[in-house]
Amino acid sequence: MKVKYYDFAEAMIPDERIKAILEPPHGQQINRETFERDLHRLLEEKLASKLSGVRNLLILVDDITRQTPTSWILPIVLDHVARFGIPSEKVDILVATGTHRPMSLKEQIEKYGESIVNAVNIKFHDYKNDVVNIGNTRSGIPVMVNKLVLEHDFIMGVGSVIPHRVAGFSGGGKIVQPGISGENTTGLTHWLSAKYEGREILGKADNPVRKEIEEIAEFAGLDFIINVVPDSQGNPIKVFAGEPKPTFYEAAQFSREYFSVKSSKSKIVITDSFPADLELWQAAKGVYSGDLVLDEGGALILVTPCPEGVGVEFGNLVQRYGYKGYEDVKELVESGELDNLIVAAHLVHVGRVIKDKGVGIILCPGIEAEVAKKIGFIPANNLKEALGIAESFVGGDDIILCKCGGELLPIVD
């Protein structure tokens, strides 16, 4: 059969060699009218009783790297809060960029809607300069969060819930950590996640990292969340709203059921990064899902466009150190040579797969071959060549194809 990823990667692969094609289901999305009706109902039931006496509101929203239909949500939220005497000038929107770059005006309009951009004060989180220490978690992680949380008496988070390598799932308190947290806080939670294999975290709502995230969000005063489970094209399937922790866990259970695909393992896995295609820092999500079905000593082929290269914020450090296994990165951290724990965790998350477990081959027009080699991948010019490289390591094994790898959750029998 002809196998195609994006417009730059296709090859003929014999049918008998394709062990499985894994992708999330399609066609379950709800239309905008239904979505808005459901959200109005949830806000009437769960938000109205909380707004009495609120003078100013801070809404945390995710950025362009996430597919939350925020432009559908914000007008409804503003309509509801206005009924309780909270006009738009008393509402601030803080983009929970985490460590991502700020968004252009065009991206803001696309993500939030032109009417919102014109009517509400939108600010971007700066994880290096805009944070204040408000305490420590029970395990001792300092809670460094954006100082705006101290200037508002009600905080709402808006995001989506999909499988996530660091936190189990996105959504919930993740809009605070790492969304509006400082570098040290984010570094420590990410480094904690690096101690675990991907199969121990990805797609599991109850995990040690999530416990820290939710405690940090509670410290910051997160009062209410609106979380959406979208399909792989960004179309909403279901919307959830209410108290942060129970609402998140309900949404995560639904997300797990939706994105899970049962599978066996194989020595050769081909995966894309869609919809996390912007840079390799995000596109590595395709590696994490592919890892779950990759046999020990196997070869993983990542197909991804990455128009912004390795990474805008931390790409230089990734290129300096390259992807490595846990023990190698741990040594760099303990020696003090690498003091950025966010980067250290990322190096481990990918390195566990393409160094400790097997080999990684990359087909990516946005990353030059020499850069790919430097960071630890074997570059390929086309899908046929990538498959040939994989076969040179593991032989002509069966192949598992992962589609929408940035959100896929393979479950191995």
Side-chain angles (χ1 to χ4, degrees):
M1 67 176 289
K2 178 184 282 189
V3 175
K4 182 176 182 179
Y5 287 92
Y6 308 101
D7 292 329
F8 58 85
E10 62 180 61
M12 293 298 300
I13 300 177
D15 290 358
E16 61 271 18
R17 289 196 60 195
I18 299 177
K19 192 173 188 178
I21 301 174
L22 310 180
E23 60 182 322
H26 301 285
Q28 298 182 14
Q29 69 267 22
I30 55 178
N31 60 32
R32 183 164 184 170
E33 181 181 355
T34 302
F35 178 90
E36 291 180 346
R37 182 196 65 213
D38 291 348
L39 181 55
H40 272 295
R41 175 181 55 80
L42 285 168
L43 296 184
E44 289 286 357
E45 292 175 359
K46 301 189 176 186
L47 179 63
S49 62
K50 296 179 178 296
L51 291 177
S52 178
V54 172
R55 298 180 303 279
N56 47 62
L57 171 67
L58 180 64
I59 305 177
L60 311 178
V61 295
D62 51 19
D63 64 12
I64 200 69
T65 65
R66 303 295 190 265
Q67 298 196 93
T68 311
T70 320
S71 63
W72 294 12
I73 295 170
L74 291 177
I76 296 172
V77 171
L78 293 182
D79 176 64
H80 274 265
V81 301
R83 298 183 206 170
F84 287 83
I86 310 172
S88 59
E89 58 266 24
K90 293 293 184 179
V91 177
D92 286 325
I93 292 177
L94 178 60
V95 183
T97 51
T99 60
H100 304 165
R101 64 164 174 80
M103 293 157 58
S104 68
L105 179 59
K106 180 181 178 182
E107 289 171 334
Q108 291 177 54
I109 292 172
E110 177 185 340
K111 177 73 175 176
Y112 311 123
E114 188 169 6
S115 62
I116 296 297
V117 172
N118 291 335
V120 184
N121 185 18
I122 298 179
K123 301 178 180 179
F124 286 87
H125 173 61
D126 180 346
Y127 73 98
K128 293 182 178 178
N129 300 308
D130 290 344
V131 295
V132 60
N133 190 329
I134 60 172
N136 295 282
T137 68
R138 285 184 289 272
S139 68
I141 293 179
V143 181
M144 304 285 294
V145 293
N146 194 288
K147 58 191 176 184
L148 285 177
V149 302
L150 302 178
E151 301 174 14
H152 295 77
D153 50 17
F154 196 88
I155 302 173
M156 178 187 298
V158 177
S160 56
V161 182
I162 61 173
H164 194 277
R165 169 62 178 86
V166 174
F169 287 90
S170 63
K174 200 170 177 295
I175 200 73
V176 173
Q177 168 38 231
I180 61 163
S181 295
E183 183 172 2
N184 192 23
T185 304
T186 299
L188 289 168
T189 59
H190 280 57
W191 187 237
L192 174 62
S193 75
K195 297 179 181 179
Y196 299 90
E197 298 279 352
R199 58 183 170 77
E200 298 177 277
I201 297 288
L202 183 61
K204 297 183 183 297
D206 189 13
N207 65 71
V209 183
R210 173 56 66 171
K211 286 182 173 64
E212 296 290 338
I213 288 171
E214 295 302 335
E215 187 177 352
I216 291 166
E218 189 174 352
F219 247 110
L222 184 65
D223 295 294
F224 193 87
I225 63 169
I226 299 170
N227 277 182
V228 178
V229 176
D231 68 11
S232 57
Q233 305 299 314
N235 303 306
I237 305 166
K238 191 169 183 179
V239 59
F240 301 80
E243 295 282 344
K245 282 199 279 192
T247 301
F248 162 73
Y249 283 108
E250 182 185 2
Q253 179 59 36
F254 182 89
S255 180
R256 179 178 172 85
E257 292 171 0
Y258 176 79
F259 285 105
S260 294
V261 179
K262 290 186 177 181
S263 178
S264 55
K265 290 189 175 185
S266 180
K267 286 284 189 183
I268 300 177
V269 174
I270 306 175
T271 181
D272 64 2
S273 60
F274 186 84
D277 295 336
L278 194 62
E279 59 182 8
L280 188 57
W281 187 271
Q282 294 290 325
K285 292 176 181 179
V287 174
Y288 309 148
S289 59
D291 169 39
L292 300 186
V293 291
L294 183 68
D295 254 334
E296 290 289 337
L300 183 139
I301 300 170
L302 175 65
V303 185
T304 179
C306 296
E308 295 190 4
V310 176
V312 172
E313 185 69 15
F314 299 123
N316 60 330
L317 289 176
V318 175
Q319 291 184 53
R320 180 186 304 174
Y321 294 103
Y323 294 117
K324 304 178 187 298
Y326 176 71
E327 292 300 329
D328 289 337
V329 178
K330 182 181 177 185
E331 186 176 329
L332 288 171
V333 170
E334 291 180 345
S335 70
E337 181 177 345
L338 177 57
D339 60 1
N340 188 317
L341 295 181
I342 303 170
V343 172
H346 176 74
L347 298 182
V348 170
H349 293 152
V350 178
R352 278 190 186 275
V353 184
I354 70 169
K355 293 299 180 183
D356 287 347
K357 188 174 188 178
V359 296
I361 301 150
I362 191 168
L363 174 54
C364 177
I367 297 176
E368 296 177 356
E370 288 306 311
V371 173
K373 291 177 186 176
K374 189 173 183 180
I375 62 179
F377 279 97
I378 302 169
N381 294 309
N382 53 64
L383 192 52
K384 182 179 179 180
E385 180 185 349
L387 191 54
I389 296 170
E391 291 168 344
S392 72
F393 283 96
V394 302
D397 207 76
D398 291 339
I399 301 166
I400 289 179
L401 307 177
C402 296
K403 299 291 187 77
C404 303
E407 296 182 345
L408 187 66
L409 181 61
I411 304 294
V412 176
D413 295 330

